[in-house]
Structures are given as structure tokens and as C-alpha cells.
Amino acid sequence: MLDWKKVDNLFPKYSTFTVVDIETGKRFKVQRRAGSHHADVQPITVKDTKIMKQIYGGKWSWRRRAIIVLGKNKKIAASMHGMPHGRGSLKNNFPGHFCIHFSGSKTHLTNNMDLSHKLMVLKAAGKLEQYLDKATPNDVIDAYIAGVKQQDPAIISRVSLQKISWIPIFNKVENVNIRKMKLMPPEDQKNELSLKVPVEIEWYLKDSGRELFKGEIHLVRFTPLDAWKVDSQDFLKENNLLN
């Protein structure tokens, strides 16, 4: 998990490196073209673009994916999305550039690391489970919703109380965001084994469009030393996502 400030110097503008997708093992080469808070890159050749699109199932997507960056004799945990945007300069059949985030990277519009990119960097580094097992109730809920948003079973299964068949759930969801969530100070629930956290969740469902859930997410753990888990059956049934 090399910090972005070091990566920024390691791979300056116009440098090239190899991207390896964690889930599929597919790899392709990119060139860094710009980016001050993260790396704006482009696939180098038409072949590289084709491989990248295969990783995303043949369709460009904003979904984050855990990757390893290879170069300068280093393997660096990172995260990418798969949506061409902005300008492109290479003859590669890729209409624009895409973004790669590292530990400590920030988005263009905020001074913080994007949560989904952060989780994917942790996943790429093999540190996701360690992070989630020690996460606060609010961080667990953030990760849970991000897991649905990014359609990543590795994230959401780690923070779910029950084993769920996630693919049918993912197929119903276009997008999801947390609009509001009550902050639960960790010092107030050191010995609690059950919590109900008030939230407002904004769903975009493929069949019914935008829906707003105003309610509570129930979290449980078996001892004060255990990790918090989301009661998925209760939550998904309340949102009509589980039959």
C-alpha cells in the first residue's frame, strides 16, 4: 500500500506500467497522462483497451476494482474504475482516460479518499478483512453500502451477519447512496452487542427507479471484541430486495 505521494514520484507523467486485475488476473499496460491527486491514465494500445473492457464484462463502468500496479520493481495495491472520460491522446480505441487511485489518493472535487477506492486498495493489499473487523458501526455501514454499490461480494459478505446470494441483489440495483446516517460515537457503545443506526438510503433500482429508505440498519456482534455485522435479511427485506 505505497502512499500516493511516493507513487506520484515513482510514475511521473508519460511513464508506463502494468495493471493486473485482482479478480480475473488479466493484465494490460497503461500510460500516465495527468492527475495531481491520483493517476489519470490511458491504455497504451488497442489490445490493452480490449483487455480492460473484457475485465468489465464488455461494458464500461464506474465500478471500482482492486488492482495491482507493476513497475519499477514494485507491486503496488491500487484501485481503478472503468469509465472513459475527459480527453484522450493515444490511438487506442479508448475515448478518454480513466483514474487509478492509491493509498492516500484524493478525488478532484474533495480533499478525501473515495471510500470505494479505499476499500479496493485494502482488498488489493490483502488488508480488507483486518480493516473491516476493526471498523466502527458507521464505517461498517459505509462499507456495506459501498459493497452493494460496487457489486463486490468480498466486501459485503465480510460485514453481513447472514450468508446471502448477492448476485440476484446486485442485478436489481443500478446505484445506491447514503444520504444521512446518525453518527454513533465508539465510546458510547463499547459493551453493546446490538445497535440500530438511523439512516436514509437512496436506491436506484433497475425496475422501479429511485426509491428512498428512511429507517434503521441493525448491527450485531456476539461479544464486545467481535466485529460488527449488518442484519442483511432484515435490511434487504425492508427494502424489497430479498424475496
Side-chain angles (χ1 to χ4, degrees):
M1 284 182 63
L2 198 63
D3 185 81
W4 163 244
K5 291 180 180 179
K6 294 182 179 179
V7 177
D8 189 19
N9 293 323
L10 195 64
F11 296 108
K13 190 175 180 181
Y14 303 127
S15 61
T16 63
F17 51 87
T18 298
V19 170
V20 182
D21 180 63
I22 289 290
E23 291 186 19
T24 65
K26 293 182 181 293
R27 59 180 62 198
F28 61 98
K29 292 185 177 181
V30 301
Q31 183 182 62
R32 181 180 177 188
R33 302 293 300 186
S36 57
H37 299 305
H38 56 261
D40 291 339
V41 305
Q42 297 177 47
I44 295 177
T45 67
V46 172
K47 181 181 178 181
D48 292 313
T49 297
K50 183 178 179 180
I51 294 171
M52 182 181 175
K53 198 166 189 178
Q54 288 173 349
I55 290 171
Y56 277 93
K59 295 181 180 180
W60 297 125
S61 170
W62 287 107
R63 281 181 56 197
R64 279 61 161 151
R65 294 184 71 94
I67 60 172
I68 297 293
V69 164
L70 303 179
K72 306 291 185 181
N73 296 318
K74 293 185 181 296
K75 297 180 180 180
I76 307 170
S79 170
M80 72 175 182
H81 67 65
M83 181 60 72
H85 65 286
R87 297 177 62 184
S89 303
L90 303 179
K91 294 181 179 180
N92 56 7
N93 272 355
F94 192 85
H97 65 266
F98 70 99
C99 302
I100 293 181
H101 285 240
F102 299 83
S103 179
S105 291
K106 301 173 184 177
T107 63
H108 291 301
L109 301 177
T110 72
N111 199 35
N112 300 307
M113 189 174 186
D114 175 83
L115 173 65
S116 294
H117 278 309
K118 176 181 177 179
L119 294 171
M120 293 301 175
V121 171
L122 287 164
K123 179 180 175 180
K127 296 183 178 182
L128 179 63
E129 293 181 359
Q130 179 183 350
Y131 169 80
L132 295 176
D133 286 350
K134 296 180 179 180
T136 66
N138 292 104
D139 287 343
V140 167
I141 293 173
D142 278 333
Y144 185 91
I145 298 301
V148 178
K149 186 184 185 77
Q150 303 305 327
Q151 299 189 3
D152 192 299
I155 295 174
I156 194 167
S157 295
R158 191 67 185 182
V159 290
S160 174
L161 179 63
Q162 299 93 354
K163 291 184 178 180
I164 301 289
S165 179
W166 292 109
I167 300 304
I169 306 296
F170 295 158
N171 289 338
K172 297 177 182 179
V173 179
E174 195 75 46
N175 201 359
V176 58
N177 298 291
I178 300 175
R179 291 187 58 183
K180 292 182 181 179
M181 177 167 55
K182 183 179 179 180
L183 181 63
M184 309 296 287
E187 61 272 14
D188 291 348
Q189 26 80 16
K190 286 184 179 179
N191 297 314
E192 298 293 332
L193 300 181
S194 177
L195 286 174
K196 290 188 176 181
V197 182
V199 296
E200 288 187 17
I201 306 292
E202 186 176 41
W203 295 97
Y204 291 88
L205 304 178
K206 293 180 180 179
D207 291 336
S208 55
R210 179 182 179 274
E211 294 188 10
L212 185 62
F213 170 76
K214 293 183 179 181
E216 296 176 323
I217 291 183
H218 184 207
L219 293 94
V220 297
R221 58 184 177 179
F222 298 106
T223 76
L225 298 178
D226 289 334
W228 288 105
K229 305 287 185 181
V230 173
D231 184 345
S232 291
Q233 287 188 347
D234 184 40
F235 177 66
L236 295 174
K237 284 180 179 178
E238 283 192 69
N239 286 274
N240 299 314
L241 292 171
L242 193 65
N243 297 328

